[in-house]
Structures are given as structure tokens and as C-alpha cells.
Amino acid sequence: MSSIIEKSLTEIHSLLIAGEVTAVDAVKACLQQIEKTEPQIKALLAQNGEEALKLAAEMDKQGPDASKPLWGVPVVIKDVLATKGITTTCGSKILENFVPFYDATSIAKLKEAGAIIIAKANMDEFAMGSTTENSAYQTTRNPCDLNRVPGGSSGGSGATVTAGQCFAALGTDTGGSIRLPASFCGCVGVKPTYGRVSRYGMIAYGSSLDQIGPMTRTVEDSARVLNVIAGHDPRDSTSVNCEVPDYVGALGKRTDLSGLTIGLPEEYWGEGISEEVSEVCRNAIKKAEELGAKTVPVKLAMTEYAIATYYIIAMAEASSNLSRFDGIRYGHRTKNADELIDLYTKSRTEAFGDEVQRRIIIGTYVLSAGYYDAYYCKAAQIRRLMRNDFEKAFESCDLIAGPACPTTAFPVGELTADPLQMYLMDIFTISLNLVGMPGMSLPVGIGKDTNMPVGLQLMGPAFGETTMLQAAHVLEKNLPEFSKPKMV
């Protein structure tokens, strides 16, 4: 069983289709790994092991189906996505007992492709955080070092993949929440173009920023999952109706990086980056050049305004989206209310964590009369200028590259008392959410000081996932092998 969990998604799928491994075998191997590692890592919330085994047995009885790209593959889902019949909490006490009666579109597509959901992943409450320490239920630990954070808000998704508890996980990315934990945990994480994957059934934090994407062990695995979940959905008004390329098939069409131009923004490679991150990422860029890529400097001048712009827009949208949790329609309701306003106030105060309350208050403030023009409108204008920056940069390059985060994973509790410093961890990831373009984190080495994984971020123009995945795949195959710190 231990050999099964060491396989990539692509490898285990091939074995499943060939009949060399059964779906029950695959599920049991993951459940055994969960039993072994979960007490230390705490990556999961609701578990679905019993139902997953029943489904796997039924699938084995019917026999392998090669037409389904994820047939029999155990997966984990971030707890912000609606899963029919499985508790979906968003990492919050306000939704502690919420069981959806429908599946999010991305979940329905996974099931249609033959995937087996074995658990829901822990997360920062309502996806607000960079370490998964803001979960109302538990603090997830990094499988590479239990004293360090796994990143967030999709920290549970990153940790469960790296720990071998599943073969793929879905995360969501509002300002780097897939790419940051992928970098910290040493796995692959892809944030698609805004509109590429349906947001229907995802409990919203920032509606113009949120995007669903895969977290896996290899680039090919991520391409396989993205092929399944991408596509137009009439139930999501932000879903874009355009053809979805064959991401997996495209990987084999490029064996080197000749003819590819990679932009290196000075804002991503200057001050503020730890020496070990800079060294590992620069070595990866050197390898890209050896493989035929040309590198050019590009300017993303509006990066210095990214943090302020992002948090004004994200908190404003959070204030609006989370107004639905009022203690009346669903979710937690206080037992000590005297009248209606008291019911609203106490229900939300009792059930929302400190970070969520902080963001709601700031979001309400920037949307209030007298401040809307000074804050929200100004942020929207800067957002447009940021997109102009990226569009101009992509006139001279095919991809942009830089570190996914200024540091490797830091110790648990180190930044919890300093929200502003925590927000700065997203400096290299939030711009892509503001401009709606795709990005991914690829593990490219181990930091010499902390002995923790380092992720290189690749960014592409809108709907440029194919080139981005191809380049990552070539790099992955040609970078010197490195071993992540031993998992628990």
C-alpha cells in the first residue's frame, strides 16, 4: 500500500486503468496514510472514507473506464467548495453544520471524470489568511516540517497532497492561496485565468478575484485535473465561453524552451527576497536559459500598490459577500438575542473569527459614503493600470517568472500578531488575481538555510495556461533532482 501513495496521479491512473491496482486499493492506501499522518498534520476536516470505499467497490465491480481521466483516483477538496452530502464549513463556525444539497460545478466535473472524494481540506476561515492558522477548527502543519506553516488559505490542500494522503486536491486562489501553499509545501499549484473554471458552488470571498485550481505532485497531474474542471458553465456569469485546449496533450509537444521568452520583473527580484529563495529561483532561471529560453527584463511598476489595492477590493467584496451570514437564513444563530439587530450582531460576533471580522469592518468602511471614491474607486483605477502593465509586459515576452513568495515556510505563530506583515507574504501573487491572468508555483529546489521547499512562479497572459504548463513541465523534467524534507 505504501508504494501506491508514492505514485503520481498520472501513474496511479494508468495502473487503475490497466487493472494492476483497484479503486479500493487506491482509496485504502490513502485512508491508511491519512490515519498515519493526520494526527500530526491536521490537513483535513470532514472525512468521507466509508462512502469513498463503497463507491470504489462499485466502480471496481463495473470495471475500469479509460474514457474517464480520473477514474478511481482519490482526491481531496478544499472546504470552500460545495459537496453534496458532505459538510462544507469554509473553516468557520458559522457554517459548522452546513451540508450542501448540490455539488459545485468543479466537483460535479471531477465525479463525472471518475474521481473519488475522500475528504475536505482545512483552510483559513472563508479563505482569509496565508497560513491556515485562521481556521476555526485546527491549525494545519507543513508535512516537510511540523513546526512550520503550510501556507494558505489552501494550506490543507497543499499539505494533504505533499503528505501523500491523496493524489490531487482542489484549492482556491483569491490572492495567492493556491500558489503560496504549493511553494511552502513543495507541490505544484495552478491558478487558472479568471473565468476558465466555473465558480458555481464556491462560497465567495472576493467574487472578482476567486479562482479554483488544482494542487498536485507533478505538472502533468495538474494539467490532467485542469482539463477536467475547466470550461464554460452557464450557471456562472463570470465563466468565459471559449474552447479548452488539451493541456495534457500539449505537454509532449515541447521538449525544450527554445523560442520562449521569459520576462523577469525587477520588482520581483530585488529587495525583500530571502537569499535562499533568490538563489534557488535564479538557478531555475539559469536552467531555463540552458534549455533555450531567452530572458528579458520587464517592468511591473504598479506592483508597489498591489497590497493596498488588493486588500481594499478584497475586503470590500468580502463585506458584501459575507452579509448573507446573518443568523437567519442558515448558519450559526445566537441563543441570546433580544431583538433583530441584536440577533445579527451576536450571531456574527460569536461565529466569525478575528480575521474575518477585521476584513468585514475594513471592507464596510471603504464602501461607506464619503470613503467610497477615496478608497474603492481609486483601487479599481489602479487595478486597471496594473492590467495595462501586464499586457505591455507580455508584448515582449511569453511568460513572466519570479519567486512565488519572498521566503520559505516560516514557523507556526511567527506572524499571527502582525496582520500587515502577514499580508506582505502575498506581494508576488496578488497582482495576478487583480488582473485575472493565470499563474502557477513549481517546486524548484530546497532553501539552504531553512531546508524547506522553494516555488518558482510562472505567469502567463489571459488563457495562456498551455504555454505556462509546457514550460513548467520542461523545467520539472530537467531541473536537478532534490529531496523534500522527510514527511511525517
Side-chain angles (χ1 to χ4, degrees), residues 253-285:
K253 295 179 180 179
R254 181 180 279 277
T255 56
D256 60 24
L257 300 181
S258 58
L260 194 73
T261 302
I262 300 176
L264 303 179
E266 58 185 69
E267 295 82 4
Y268 286 50
W269 292 93
E271 295 181 3
I273 308 172
S274 70
E275 184 180 339
E276 61 177 347
V277 169
S278 178
E279 180 181 354
V280 172
C281 288
R282 287 186 187 279
N283 287 339
I285 295 300

Coordinates of all heavy atoms in Angstrom, one line a residue, residues 253-285:
K253 N 4.4 18.3 -26.7 CA 4.8 19.0 -27.9 C 6.0 19.9 -27.7 O 6.5 20.5 -28.7 CB 3.6 19.8 -28.4 CG 2.4 18.9 -28.8 CD 1.3 19.8 -29.3 CE 0.1 18.9 -29.7 NZ -1.1 19.7 -30.2
R254 N 6.5 20.0 -26.5 CA 7.7 20.8 -26.2 C 8.7 20.0 -25.4 O 8.4 19.6 -24.3 CB 7.3 22.1 -25.5 CG 8.4 23.0 -25.2 CD 8.0 24.3 -24.5 NE 7.5 25.3 -25.4 CZ 8.2 26.1 -26.2 NH1 9.6 26.1 -26.1 NH2 7.7 27.0 -27.0
T255 N 9.9 19.9 -25.9 CA 10.9 19.1 -25.2 C 12.0 20.1 -24.6 O 12.8 19.6 -23.9 CB 11.6 18.1 -26.1 OG1 12.1 18.8 -27.3 CG2 10.6 17.0 -26.5
D256 N 12.0 21.3 -25.1 CA 12.9 22.3 -24.6 C 12.2 23.6 -24.5 O 11.0 23.7 -24.8 CB 14.2 22.4 -25.4 CG 14.0 22.7 -26.8 OD1 13.0 23.4 -27.1 OD2 14.9 22.4 -27.7
L257 N 13.0 24.7 -24.2 CA 12.3 26.0 -24.1 C 12.8 27.0 -25.2 O 12.7 28.2 -25.1 CB 12.7 26.6 -22.7 CG 12.2 25.8 -21.5 CD1 12.5 26.5 -20.2 CD2 10.7 25.6 -21.6
S258 N 13.3 26.4 -26.3 CA 13.8 27.2 -27.4 C 12.6 28.0 -28.0 O 11.5 27.5 -28.1 CB 14.4 26.4 -28.5 OG 13.5 25.4 -29.0
G259 N 12.9 29.3 -28.3 CA 11.8 30.1 -28.9 C 10.9 30.8 -27.8 O 10.0 31.6 -28.2
L260 N 11.2 30.5 -26.6 CA 10.3 31.0 -25.5 C 11.1 32.2 -24.8 O 12.3 32.1 -24.5 CB 10.1 30.0 -24.4 CG 8.9 30.3 -23.4 CD1 7.6 30.2 -24.1 CD2 9.0 29.3 -22.2
T261 N 10.4 33.3 -24.6 CA 10.9 34.5 -23.9 C 10.3 34.6 -22.6 O 9.1 34.7 -22.5 CB 10.7 35.7 -24.8 OG1 11.3 35.6 -26.1 CG2 11.3 36.9 -24.1
I262 N 11.1 34.7 -21.6 CA 10.6 34.8 -20.2 C 11.0 36.2 -19.6 O 12.2 36.6 -19.6 CB 11.3 33.7 -19.3 CG1 10.9 32.3 -19.8 CG2 10.8 33.9 -17.8 CD1 11.5 31.2 -19.0
G263 N 10.0 36.9 -19.2 CA 10.2 38.2 -18.6 C 10.5 38.1 -17.1 O 9.9 37.4 -16.4
L264 N 11.5 38.9 -16.7 CA 11.9 38.9 -15.3 C 11.7 40.3 -14.7 O 12.5 41.3 -15.0 CB 13.4 38.6 -15.2 CG 13.8 37.2 -15.7 CD1 15.3 37.0 -15.6 CD2 13.1 36.1 -15.1
P265 N 10.6 40.5 -14.0 CA 10.3 41.9 -13.5 C 11.2 42.2 -12.3 O 11.4 41.5 -11.4 CB 8.8 41.7 -13.0 CG 8.6 40.3 -12.8 CD 9.6 39.6 -13.7
E266 N 11.8 43.4 -12.4 CA 12.8 43.8 -11.4 C 12.1 43.9 -10.0 O 12.7 43.7 -9.0 CB 13.4 45.2 -11.7 CG 12.4 46.3 -12.0 CD 13.1 47.6 -12.4 OE1 13.6 47.6 -13.6 OE2 13.1 48.5 -11.6
E267 N 10.8 44.2 -10.0 CA 10.0 44.3 -8.8 C 10.0 43.0 -8.0 O 9.7 43.0 -6.8 CB 8.6 44.8 -9.0 CG 8.6 46.2 -9.6 CD 8.8 46.3 -11.1 OE1 8.9 45.2 -11.8 OE2 8.8 47.4 -11.7
Y268 N 10.1 41.9 -8.7 CA 10.0 40.5 -8.1 C 11.4 40.0 -7.7 O 11.5 38.9 -7.1 CB 9.3 39.6 -9.1 CG 7.9 39.8 -9.2 CD1 7.3 41.0 -9.5 CD2 7.0 38.7 -9.1 CE1 5.9 41.2 -9.6 CE2 5.6 38.9 -9.2 CZ 5.1 40.1 -9.5 OH 3.7 40.3 -9.6
W269 N 12.5 40.6 -8.2 CA 13.8 40.0 -8.0 C 14.7 41.0 -7.2 O 15.9 40.7 -7.1 CB 14.5 39.8 -9.3 CG 13.8 38.7 -10.1 CD1 12.8 38.8 -11.0 CD2 14.0 37.3 -10.0 NE1 12.4 37.6 -11.5 CE2 13.1 36.6 -10.9 CE3 14.9 36.5 -9.2 CZ2 13.1 35.2 -11.0 CZ3 14.9 35.1 -9.3 CH2 14.0 34.5 -10.2
G270 N 14.2 42.0 -6.5 CA 15.0 42.9 -5.8 C 15.0 42.7 -4.3 O 15.1 41.6 -3.8
E271 N 14.9 43.8 -3.6 CA 15.0 43.8 -2.2 C 13.8 43.1 -1.6 O 12.7 43.1 -2.2 CB 15.1 45.2 -1.6 CG 16.3 46.0 -2.0 CD 16.4 47.4 -1.4 OE1 15.4 47.7 -0.6 OE2 17.3 48.1 -1.6
G272 N 14.0 42.5 -0.4 CA 12.9 41.9 0.3 C 12.8 40.4 0.1 O 12.0 39.7 0.8
I273 N 13.6 39.8 -0.8 CA 13.6 38.4 -1.0 C 14.7 37.7 -0.2 O 15.8 38.2 -0.2 CB 13.8 38.0 -2.5 CG1 12.8 38.8 -3.4 CG2 13.6 36.5 -2.7 CD1 13.1 38.6 -4.9
S274 N 14.4 36.7 0.5 CA 15.4 36.0 1.3 C 16.5 35.5 0.3 O 16.2 35.1 -0.8 CB 14.9 34.9 2.1 OG 14.4 33.8 1.3
E275 N 17.7 35.4 0.8 CA 18.9 34.9 0.0 C 18.6 33.5 -0.6 O 18.9 33.2 -1.7 CB 20.1 35.0 0.8 CG 21.4 34.7 0.0 CD 22.6 34.7 0.9 OE1 22.6 35.4 1.9 OE2 23.6 34.1 0.5
E276 N 18.1 32.6 0.3 CA 17.9 31.3 -0.2 C 16.9 31.1 -1.3 O 17.0 30.4 -2.2 CB 17.6 30.3 1.0 CG 16.3 30.7 1.7 CD 15.9 29.7 2.8 OE1 16.6 28.6 2.9 OE2 15.0 30.0 3.6
V277 N 15.8 31.9 -1.2 CA 14.8 31.9 -2.2 C 15.3 32.4 -3.5 O 15.1 31.9 -4.6 CB 13.5 32.7 -1.8 CG1 12.5 32.9 -2.9 CG2 12.8 31.9 -0.6
S278 N 16.0 33.6 -3.4 CA 16.6 34.2 -4.6 C 17.6 33.2 -5.3 O 17.5 33.1 -6.5 CB 17.3 35.5 -4.2 OG 18.0 36.0 -5.3
E279 N 18.4 32.5 -4.5 CA 19.4 31.6 -5.1 C 18.7 30.5 -5.8 O 19.1 30.1 -7.0 CB 20.3 31.1 -4.0 CG 21.4 30.1 -4.5 CD 22.3 29.6 -3.4 OE1 22.1 30.0 -2.2 OE2 23.1 28.7 -3.7
V280 N 17.8 29.8 -5.2 CA 17.1 28.7 -5.8 C 16.3 29.1 -7.1 O 16.4 28.4 -8.1 CB 16.1 28.0 -4.8 CG1 15.3 26.9 -5.5 CG2 16.9 27.4 -3.7
C281 N 15.6 30.2 -7.0 CA 14.9 30.7 -8.2 C 15.8 31.1 -9.3 O 15.5 30.9 -10.5 CB 13.9 31.8 -7.8 SG 12.5 31.2 -6.8
R282 N 16.9 31.8 -9.0 CA 17.8 32.2 -10.1 C 18.5 31.0 -10.7 O 18.7 31.0 -11.9 CB 18.9 33.1 -9.5 CG 18.3 34.5 -9.2 CD 19.4 35.5 -8.7 NE 18.8 36.7 -8.3 CZ 18.4 37.7 -9.1 NH1 18.6 37.6 -10.4 NH2 17.9 38.8 -8.6
N283 N 18.7 29.9 -10.0 CA 19.3 28.7 -10.5 C 18.3 28.1 -11.5 O 18.6 27.5 -12.6 CB 19.6 27.7 -9.4 CG 20.9 28.1 -8.7 OD1 21.7 28.9 -9.2 ND2 21.1 27.6 -7.5
A284 N 17.0 28.2 -11.2 CA 15.9 27.6 -12.1 C 15.9 28.4 -13.4 O 15.7 27.9 -14.4 CB 14.6 27.7 -11.3
I285 N 16.0 29.8 -13.2 CA 16.0 30.6 -14.4 C 17.3 30.3 -15.3 O 17.2 30.2 -16.5 CB 16.0 32.1 -14.1 CG1 14.7 32.4 -13.4 CG2 16.2 33.0 -15.3 CD1 13.4 32.2 -14.2

